[in-house]
Amino acid sequence: MPVHIVNHPLVRHKLGLMRKHNISTKDFRELASELARILTWVVFAIGGMDFSAGDFTIKGIGLVGISGVALNLLLPGRAERG
């Protein structure tokens, strides 16, 4: 399994806050939750997912790309109508 290093300033900031020795349990948990949301967005929005349906496979696609394709299939013609 490959290891991905996320070097985003917001991730570094949240980790820095979590490392403080005087942080309360409540604040630590809130920061951990925020960090999980950020990392989920980074992984799924930017890319790195593999999508398979039967013999059809797309590698390295992001959730935004999958959502765009799905919306175009589900809502055809909406863009032309305005």
Side-chain angles (χ1 to χ4, degrees):
M1 175 183 253
V3 174
H4 299 280
I5 297 173
V6 179
N7 195 18
H8 193 278
L10 188 55
V11 171
R12 287 196 316 261
H13 173 70
K14 298 293 181 185
L15 286 173
L17 292 174
M18 291 173 74
R19 288 184 182 125
K20 290 186 176 183
H21 69 280
N22 60 348
I23 190 169
S24 68
T25 303
K26 177 184 176 285
D27 290 341
F28 183 87
R29 287 181 179 168
E30 287 176 359
L31 286 167
S33 178
E34 291 174 16
L35 187 59
R37 283 193 297 268
I38 292 167
L39 291 173
T40 301
W41 178 82
V42 167
V43 168
F44 289 112
I46 293 176
M49 276 180 34
D50 293 345
F51 176 76
S52 296
D55 293 335
F56 180 76
T57 301
I58 299 175
K59 294 185 179 242
I61 190 169
L63 187 59
V64 172
I66 293 172
S67 299
V69 170
L71 287 175
N72 282 325
L73 292 173
L74 295 173
L75 307 171
R78 293 260 179 164
E80 292 99 22
R81 285 185 246 149

